[in-house]
Amino acid sequence: MRKIIIAGNWKMNNTISQAQDLMAALIKNGGDMHKVEVIVAPPFTALRSVYDILGQSSVHIAAQNLFWEESGAYTGEVSPMMVKETGCKWVIIGHSERRQLFGETNDTVNKRTTAALRIGLKPIVCIGETLEERDSGQTFEVLNRQLEGGLKDLTGENMAKVSIAYEPVWAIGTGKTATSAQAQEAHEKIRAKLASMFPQGVADKVRILYGGSMKPSNALELLSLPDVDGGLVGGASLNAHDFIEIIKAGIKAEQL
Ligand code: PGA
């Protein structure tokens, strides 16, 4: 019922020429990619050339961020329309690196999410607890706060266009992955929280991706969990072979 999403978050990696090489390998060897929803999120500078190279392929592009104002004196920012014009259908919002390094808050996540929806982009809203928060038993309080703040005042109709990425901060780029039990528990609770904020039918429809050291060796197990509807892949998405293996795991999980 919920089509699996495999999204590659490149972060601040890949120049235009590196991006072109990576996409050429993906198109050549990716196989039946249309069986899942494959998304890549290059840096702003490479969005358009990746879009051009993907051509008629089923792979879509996402931006890694956007600003909520339409235009004006905001040096260094990129507007929703500018993002959309590159060919993006999706945008990642509130990644933990943006929260930790660039002052992103639940309130700015909400502004960006609302602006993305207004222009017709589908947001992937990232949430997740730090190790300290997990160790002190606050995981679900933190996730609930992030959902309440980040998704504030969204209509059910709009929420149905949003995906959530659950990315425990302690698992990002560390090689440490959440166990299946930890991932399923968090995803189930996130869906229950969504059902308390929006109609059940909407909560059932929202795709909840797992992120944090997803790789070929653990992708199938994670993607087969009942409430895990995809992956937001960082490091492993920079390597065509590994990313394709994760896509294949997604296709397998889709058929289970
Ligand atoms: P990782 O990053 O796969 O390198 O852990 C995931 C992410 O930050 O989206």
Side-chain angles (χ1 to χ4, degrees), residues 5-14 22-23 26 39-43 64 92 95-97 124 126 165-169 171-177 209-216 218-219 222-223 230-244 246-247:
I5 295 176
I6 305 295
N9 173 16
W10 295 3
K11 311 192 179 185
M12 197 177 74
N13 293 291
N14 288 332
L22 182 57
M23 288 301 92
L26 180 67
I39 302 167
V40 291
Q64 297 175 18
I92 297 172
H95 189 278
S96 67
E97 285 148 19
I124 299 173
C126 303
Y166 169 60
E167 301 204 302
V169 178
I172 294 177
T174 57
K176 251 197 225 171
T177 316
L209 320 188
Y210 169 82
S213 299
M214 186 178 271
K215 47 195 171 219
N218 60 27
L222 287 161
L223 294 169
L232 184 55
V233 186
S237 74
L238 300 174
N239 175 293
H241 172 265
D242 285 359
F243 192 52
I244 289 168
I246 294 171
I247 293 169

Side-chain angles (χ1 to χ4, degrees), residues 3-57:
K3 192 170 184 181
I4 285 182
I5 295 176
I6 305 295
N9 173 16
W10 295 3
K11 311 192 179 185
M12 197 177 74
N13 293 291
N14 288 332
T15 60
I16 290 175
S17 61
Q18 289 167 332
Q20 285 168 337
D21 291 347
L22 182 57
M23 288 301 92
L26 180 67
I27 291 167
K28 182 157 174 257
N29 304 313
D32 290 335
M33 290 192 287
H34 63 275
K35 292 189 174 162
V36 289
E37 212 154 346
V38 179
I39 302 167
V40 291
F44 289 123
T45 46
L47 280 171
R48 186 66 198 187
S49 51
V50 167
Y51 176 82
D52 287 341
I53 228 186
L54 287 171
Q56 295 305 305
S57 104

